[in-house]
Amino acid sequence: MSNINRPPAPAAKKGPSIKTRLSDAFVSLSNINSFILRFFREAFLPPFEIKEVMRQCYETGVRSFTLITFTGFITGLIFTKQSRPSLLNFGAQSWLPSLVSIAIMRALAPLITALIAAGKVGSSIGAELGSMRVTEQIDAMEVSGTKPFKYLVCTRVLATTITIPILATYTGFVALLGGYLNVAANEGTSYTTFWEQVFEPLTFVDFVASLAKAIVFGFTIGIVGCYQGYYSNKGTEGVGKAANGAVVTAMFLVFVEEILIVQIAGWFR
């Protein structure tokens, strides 16, 4: 009798179908493409928000300076320390400065800078614009006749595109300095000899590829963070999702772009 009177179990909820997911994915790609095209349409047309761009450069670059310095120095020191025993087994420890310079200038400096910026700057941009969207500040700017896209999005993307290459170059030299301290302590290499061996294997293509990576990474971090925040969902959860989405998406795209640029640079070497 107890089984007869028991209400039926609720049916399990089905998730979205594959067709719906594909449709949502294509809609998102279309929105992202429109967002990027809108940036290029408005970023280089007057009025130019020079003061806001400079302020965002300060927020992006100067406020990340300490973290970038510490991380770059530790990266060069640890990479040199870990590479030395392998070269020592083959009696090739004299090649250590060249190995360190190739690894840092070609890959580690722009990649590490981009990953740090994605975590620090990207999340900050996503959370800031997301909170402005939730509190309807962006809507108020649109109603008042102000151009929120140019003031909020274009300035931040330009700032990251300008600042990340500068930080990446600085990270590379700080990392090489950390490598020099390790080499000097173990091999007794002089300062002049070390820097001569550092720049000897590097070519013009290496510097151009490294700079191109940093510019692309900076643009990606800025555009992803702004997109996630500018179109965040209503409610307090939207701010957290915007910040998290900015970090995860930017890091994923940075690794994809790293592979592509390395492949393209390899054709010119």
Side-chain angles (χ1 to χ4, degrees), residues 106-107 209 213 257-267 269:
R106 285 186 180 180
K213 285 182 187 179
E257 292 165 351
E258 170 75 17
I259 296 173
L260 295 176
I261 296 176
V262 166
Q263 183 64 37
I264 295 172
W267 296 338
R269 290 195 176 97

Side-chain angles (χ1 to χ4, degrees), residues 83-107:
S83 302
R84 184 175 179 275
S86 299
L87 295 178
L88 191 61
N89 292 333
F90 297 96
Q93 61 270 25
S94 61
W95 289 91
L96 188 57
S98 299
L99 173 65
V100 172
S101 67
I102 291 174
I104 290 176
M105 299 306 295
R106 285 186 180 180

Side-chain angles (χ1 to χ4, degrees), residues 137-168:
Q137 296 181 45
I138 296 178
D139 297 333
M141 294 176 68
E142 292 176 348
V143 171
S144 63
T146 308
K147 295 182 178 180
F149 190 92
K150 177 180 284 291
Y151 185 80
L152 298 177
V153 175
C154 296
T155 55
R156 284 166 172 77
V157 177
L158 288 174
T160 55
T161 306
I162 295 171
T163 307
I164 299 302
I166 298 174
L167 290 177

Side-chain angles (χ1 to χ4, degrees), residues 200-222:
E200 183 178 358
L202 298 176
T203 63
F204 179 74
V205 176
D206 295 328
F207 291 104
V208 172
S210 181
L211 181 61
K213 285 182 187 179
I215 294 174
V216 173
F217 293 165
F219 176 80
T220 300
I221 293 168

Side-chain angles (χ1 to χ4, degrees), residues 89-256:
N89 292 333
F90 297 96
Q93 61 270 25
S94 61
W95 289 91
L96 188 57
S98 299
L99 173 65
V100 172
S101 67
I102 291 174
I104 290 176
M105 299 306 295
R106 285 186 180 180
L108 291 180
L111 185 60
I112 289 175
T113 305
L115 294 178
I116 293 174
K120 187 178 186 300
V121 178
S123 61
S124 176
I125 292 175
E128 184 179 5
L129 295 186
S131 62
M132 294 181 69
R133 173 64 69 181
V134 169
T135 56
E136 299 182 351
Q137 296 181 45
I138 296 178
D139 297 333
M141 294 176 68
E142 292 176 348
V143 171
S144 63
T146 308
K147 295 182 178 180
F149 190 92
K150 177 180 284 291
Y151 185 80
L152 298 177
V153 175
C154 296
T155 55
R156 284 166 172 77
V157 177
L158 288 174
T160 55
T161 306
I162 295 171
T163 307
I164 299 302
I166 298 174
L167 290 177
T169 304
Y170 173 74
T171 302
F173 283 103
V174 171
L176 289 175
L177 179 61
Y180 163 72
L181 295 179
N182 185 273
V183 172
N186 291 281
E187 307 295 336
T189 305
S190 66
Y191 182 83
T192 304
T193 302
F194 175 84
W195 288 103
E196 287 178 353
Q197 295 176 354
V198 160
F199 288 103
E200 183 178 358
L202 298 176
T203 63
F204 179 74
V205 176
D206 295 328
F207 291 104
V208 172
S210 181
L211 181 61
K213 285 182 187 179
I215 294 174
V216 173
F217 293 165
F219 176 80
T220 300
I221 293 168
I223 205 74
V224 169
C226 290
Y227 178 81
Q228 293 288 344
Y230 200 80
Y231 293 113
S232 62
N233 297 324
K234 299 292 184 179
T236 55
E237 292 183 2
V239 179
K241 290 181 179 179
N244 183 67
V247 175
V248 174
T249 307
M251 286 186 175
F252 174 77
L253 292 177
V254 162
F255 283 114
V256 173

